[in-house]
């Protein structure tokens, strides 16, 4: 498996980048890891990096983006925060990845059985976790129909909707990324990872 170079990155379309992630996840699910020399990749990327994707995902230990998509060193930017929420620093990181460093696809990836989403659904209040969970509340409110406790199925619906909320915020709060998407320079897409199967489904 080749290390990402500027030439490879320049010749990739957003669709190609999307396909690479789909194929990588297929290998992961089938336990067929691509052959790559990580030590060589350390050396080859020491003078520069040309990742083809930036992936915003949860900090959940079961969902490491590089492994889930079977990617190596220098292939993707991995942005991780509980509940795959968006804030100013994350937006800046993604703008850097796409506008400055040349990534061709931006993925917001949620997952099943998300602790942050569950905590938001249960209205948990605890230190700095409280303002973080408030960023998930729009998704909770879109699924919650009354004051009754959400079912497990509804909590999964919140996880799915939370990805859409984050994507909406990216488009609204980052004119840079919104313009790049409009011009066809990047794809912005949502995805959900199933902790039971290892499968990523793109929205």
């Amino acid at each position: 498996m080749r290390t990402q170079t500027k030439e490879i990155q320049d010749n990739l379309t957003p669709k190609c980048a999307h396909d690479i992630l789909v194929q990588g996840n297929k290998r992961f699910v089938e336990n067929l890891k691509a052959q790559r020399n990580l030590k060589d990749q350390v050396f080859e990327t020491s003078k520069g990096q040309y990742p083809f994707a930036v992936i915003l995902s949860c900090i959940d230990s079961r969902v490491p983006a590089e492994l889930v998509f079977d990617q190596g060193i220098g292939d993707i930017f991995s942005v991780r925060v509980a509940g795959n929420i968006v804030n100013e620093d994350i937006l800046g990181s993604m703008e850097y990845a796409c506008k400055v460093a040349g990534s061709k696809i931006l993925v917001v990836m949620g997952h099943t059985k998300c602790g942050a989403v569950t905590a938001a659904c249960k209205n948990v209040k605890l230190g700095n976790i409280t303002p973080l969970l408030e960023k998930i509340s729009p998704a909770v409110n879109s699924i919650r129909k009354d004051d009754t406790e959400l079912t497990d199925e509804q909590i999964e619906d919140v996880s799915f909707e939370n990805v859409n909320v984050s994507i909406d915020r990216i488009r609204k709060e980052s004119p840079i990324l919104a313009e790049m998407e409009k011009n066809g320079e990047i794809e912005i897409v949502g995805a959900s990872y199933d902790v039971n199967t290892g499968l990523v489904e793109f929205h």
Side-chain angles (χ1 to χ4, degrees), residues 15-74:
K15 183 183 183 306
C16 287
H18 185 130
D19 290 343
I20 291 171
L21 294 177
V22 170
Q23 291 303 312
N25 180 245
K26 185 174 185 290
R27 291 194 301 273
F28 175 74
V29 170
E30 296 175 354
N31 202 28
L32 297 171
K33 189 164 63 170
Q35 293 298 312
R36 54 172 59 88
N37 187 319
L38 295 179
K39 186 175 181 181
D40 284 352
Q41 288 194 321
V42 169
F43 174 75
E44 290 166 357
T45 58
S46 62
K47 296 181 181 179
Q49 59 169 337
Y50 306 98
F52 70 89
V54 54
I55 299 171
L56 169 61
S57 59
C58 185
I59 65 167
D60 193 291
S61 64
R62 298 166 294 181
V63 196
E66 289 87 349
L67 296 181
V68 164
F69 290 108
D70 188 30
Q71 298 303 310
I73 292 170

Side-chain angles (χ1 to χ4, degrees), residues 86 109 114 139 164 194:
V86 170
M109 183 170 67
C114 180
N164 296 332
D194 190 329

Side-chain angles (χ1 to χ4, degrees), residues 88-185:
E88 184 180 38
D89 298 323
I90 288 169
L91 285 172
S93 297
M94 293 188 295
E95 288 173 352
Y96 171 80
C98 295
K99 189 68 175 179
V100 179
S103 293
K104 301 300 179 72
I105 185 170
L106 188 165
V107 181
V108 178
M109 183 170 67
H111 67 95
T112 59
K113 299 181 181 175
C114 180
V117 168
T118 301
C121 291
K122 296 183 182 302
N123 201 30
V124 169
K125 306 288 185 185
L126 180 64
N128 291 300
I129 297 173
T130 303
L132 185 149
L133 295 181
E134 286 173 356
K135 294 179 177 66
I136 303 175
S137 61
V140 178
N141 294 335
S142 71
I143 301 300
R144 191 189 299 277
K145 303 306 179 188
D146 51 42
D147 292 332
T148 59
E149 189 171 324
L150 294 177
T151 65
D152 290 345
E153 184 177 348
Q154 287 174 315
I155 291 174
E156 299 299 2
D157 290 340
V158 173
S159 292
F160 189 94
E161 180 59 24
N162 187 49
V163 169
N164 296 332
V165 169
S166 289
I167 288 177
D168 286 344
R169 287 195 63 186
I170 291 167
R171 289 173 174 148
K172 289 175 184 175
E173 298 176 28
S174 174
I176 289 174
L177 295 172
E179 182 179 17
M180 291 185 76
E181 181 185 37
K182 181 181 178 182
N183 293 339
E185 299 171 71

